[in-house]
Amino acid sequence: MSFQTLVEQTEIHPEGNSASSTPFDADSFNEVVMSTYGRFPLALERGSGCRVWDTQGKEYLDFVAGIATCTLGHAHPAMVAAVNRQIQKLHHVSNLYYIPEQGELAKWIVDHSCADRVFFCNSGAEANEAAIKLARKYAHTVLDIANPIILTANASFHGRTLATITATGQPKYQKHFDPLVPGFHYVPYNDIAAVEAAVTELDEGNYRVGAILIEPLQGEGGVRPGDVAYFQKLRQLCDEIGILLMFDEVQVGMGRSGKLWGYEHLGVEPDVFTSAKGLGGGIPIGAMMAKKFCDVFQPGEHASTFGGNPFVCGVALSVCQTLEKENILENVQEQGAHLREGLKMIARKYPDHISEVRGWGLINGMEIKADSQLTAADVVKAAMDEGLLLVPAGLKVVRFVPPLIVTDTDINQALQVVEKVMVKVTA
Ligand SMILES: *Cc1c(COP(=O)(O)O)cnc(C)c1O
């Protein structure tokens, strides 16, 4: 086959008004792909802005955005241009060499956060792994703790590698994967007395708390914002005993909260924080940021083959610059308030079923009452039938995480669907 034929066969038609001629065959898919995911019976084929189309040509309003990832929505011209530019120039080399795009992206992050240094990897779990390794080395070499313990929160989520499922304070992610990684201890979220007690209790012999890893807003755990007073006391406590305060900003960071970083809502700065989901607008990238004083890694101690390659860094940089240039944070604040207000109005009509609407910017949750027989999945499924994509955050919380470029019209349409869905599922 000639190169030209190949190019013609793979030519992309962004307008793509014709759906595939053959319907998607889920059975063949399941025959060859491991069943690690519980999937909805839906196969998506293309997207534009906040809309996606399935293989039958049906349109959906996308309030999932690849789970809080597609910051600029689908096929955003800035991303398309950056992908084209970078793939033609240079896509991958190795960290054996200097990668200018990596330096530029790191500079952007450092200029726009409390961090001094950045390490790049490919996912949220890897970014948290890097933070865990950094915290352990800091504890061993600076704090002189032989067996450092990292405190994490109940109902947290930090990823699916062995260390990060251990860090995750939810037994359902750990079951059957033991022995888990030692050196973690869990405390209830937003409860400072529990942290103080754990720090005292765990201080015996060679064991001591060496760091705290926590989300500024718990995403998967049910869209639970951090409490300002709690986080300020956490910061104080860490300063007093000299341990690292590390924030997992994988879901809430990169503008989703209406500020660039979740910690800006809490009036405290972390020593270390991680990012992934929204950072590349949907291309796989993760990053671990640290202040200079705790950047303890030496050459050869941590690495990633793909991490920070020219392709992902060039594209992520264009995502960051677009966020800034198009004043997207303002849109997040405005549309986030619009969405919450609308959801609260709906919630007031269903006091027996909806207990709370909460969130920051464009990460919001609608919680279903514990004693209602409704589940988040019921609402998500009914919404999908009506052309709106949503995602549960646990059993009882419906999560709304649209692209950050979402418009007034999109929010109004989504609210209309939710209203219709509530009528249906409570009938
Ligand atoms: C999604 C998520 C992760 C894991 O990210 P992956 O890219 O799936 O490894 C970690 N922490 C938080 C808070 C997340 O939301």
Side-chain angles (χ1 to χ4, degrees):
M1 195 179 286
S2 76
F3 179 71
Q4 192 50 44
T5 325
L6 265 174
V7 168
E8 277 161 16
Q9 283 187 354
T10 55
E11 202 181 327
I12 294 158
H13 302 278
E15 304 313 321
N17 42 15
S18 62
S20 302
S21 43
T22 47
F24 183 77
D25 180 0
D27 291 338
S28 313
F29 181 98
N30 291 327
E31 200 58 47
V32 291
V33 178
M34 279 195 192
S35 55
T36 57
Y37 303 96
R39 298 178 198 268
F40 293 104
L42 174 64
L44 296 168
E45 195 173 58
R46 68 189 178 90
S48 175
C50 296
R51 319 258 149 177
V52 286
W53 286 265
D54 72 9
T55 48
Q56 313 293 302
K58 183 180 168 187
E59 181 180 314
Y60 295 85
L61 183 55
D62 183 10
F63 271 44
V64 177
I67 311 190
T69 294
C70 303
T71 315
L72 301 180
H74 302 278
H76 190 286
M79 265 191 94
V80 172
V83 166
N84 280 326
R85 194 185 328 118
Q86 201 59 52
I87 199 75
Q88 290 179 51
K89 193 176 169 200
L90 187 67
H91 73 291
H92 180 78
V93 279
S94 162
N95 286 300
L96 288 168
Y97 318 108
Y98 284 96
I99 297 170
E101 292 83 357
Q102 190 180 123
E104 283 176 61
L105 179 59
K107 177 82 167 72
W108 191 92
I109 295 172
V110 165
D111 285 348
H112 292 80
S113 75
C114 63
D116 300 313
R117 300 268 164 79
V118 187
F119 170 82
F120 289 105
C121 50
N122 314 286
S123 67
E126 274 180 82
N128 288 330
E129 285 270 349
I132 291 163
K133 282 178 74 175
L134 183 137
R136 284 184 170 187
K137 184 171 180 197
Y138 185 83
H140 286 302
T141 61
V142 180
L143 304 178
D144 199 23
I145 306 174
N147 292 294
I149 292 166
I150 297 176
L151 288 189
T152 65
N154 291 342
S156 58
F157 185 81
H158 299 296
R160 300 294 200 126
T161 63
L162 270 175
T164 56
I165 59 166
T166 311
T168 294
Q170 299 194 59
K172 71 173 175 184
Y173 293 112
Q174 303 168 341
K175 197 177 168 201
H176 299 317
F177 299 121
D178 51 305
L180 297 173
V181 176
F184 291 91
H185 183 86
Y186 315 100
V187 287
Y189 193 63
N190 280 340
D191 178 349
I192 194 68
V195 176
E196 288 165 351
V199 166
T200 313
E201 247 170 63
L202 296 169
D203 187 3
E204 52 173 281
N206 291 328
Y207 290 84
R208 235 176 80 201
V209 172
I212 297 174
L213 172 64
I214 192 158
E215 295 158 89
L217 170 153
Q218 291 191 325
E220 303 298 313
V223 191
R224 289 173 209 288
D227 178 60
V228 174
Y230 169 73
F231 271 83
Q232 296 193 342
K233 285 192 183 129
L234 264 190
R235 179 68 272 178
Q236 245 173 20
L237 178 76
C238 290
D239 288 340
E240 275 163 28
I241 56 178
I243 65 170
L244 296 183
L245 181 57
M246 312 198 292
F247 288 173
D248 181 340
E249 294 255 5
V250 168
Q251 188 159 161
V252 74
M254 273 310 288
R256 178 150 297 280
S257 73
K259 299 184 189 283
L260 195 56
W261 307 108
Y263 67 75
E264 295 174 50
H265 290 263
L266 300 168
V268 294
E269 289 183 357
D271 304 311
V272 173
F273 66 100
T274 54
S275 178
K277 288 191 168 84
L279 179 55
I283 50 126
I285 184 169
M288 189 259 299
M289 279 58 72
K291 294 209 171 176
K292 203 176 286 175
F293 82 90
C294 57
D295 171 22
V296 289
F297 284 147
Q298 294 296 311
E301 285 185 336
H302 196 51
S304 165
T305 297
F306 289 127
N309 84 11
F311 180 75
V312 292
C313 288
V315 178
L317 182 63
S318 82
V319 171
C320 294
Q321 289 168 339
T322 305
L323 273 186
E324 211 170 2
K325 206 171 64 202
E326 298 186 1
N327 287 324
I328 288 176
L329 289 192
E330 252 170 60
N331 189 60
V332 176
Q333 291 162 17
E334 208 170 295
Q335 297 308 333
H338 179 185
L339 175 63
R340 269 189 307 282
E341 206 172 294
L343 289 176
K344 281 177 182 170
M345 264 164 66
I346 296 171
R348 280 196 285 273
K349 293 185 194 164
Y350 295 92
D352 295 340
H353 295 283
I354 302 173
S355 53
E356 196 184 13
V357 170
R358 58 174 178 256
W360 291 341
L362 286 170
I363 176 160
N364 293 290
M366 183 174 85
E367 184 158 50
I368 296 164
K369 279 192 145 178
D371 59 3
S372 160
Q373 82 284 16
L374 266 188
T375 64
D378 295 333
V379 175
V380 168
K381 278 180 202 148
M384 187 183 293
D385 290 341
E386 299 294 335
L388 172 66
L389 300 183
L390 299 172
V391 57
L395 191 65
K396 290 288 197 176
V397 179
V398 183
R399 182 169 23 167
F400 297 77
V401 281
L404 307 188
I405 56 163
V406 72
T407 64
D408 237 25
T409 314
D410 299 328
I411 300 276
N412 286 334
Q413 187 185 335
L415 288 169
Q416 270 169 19
V417 173
V418 174
E419 182 115 49
K420 196 167 166 190
V421 160
M422 285 309 296
V423 173
K424 216 160 143 186
V425 295
T426 57

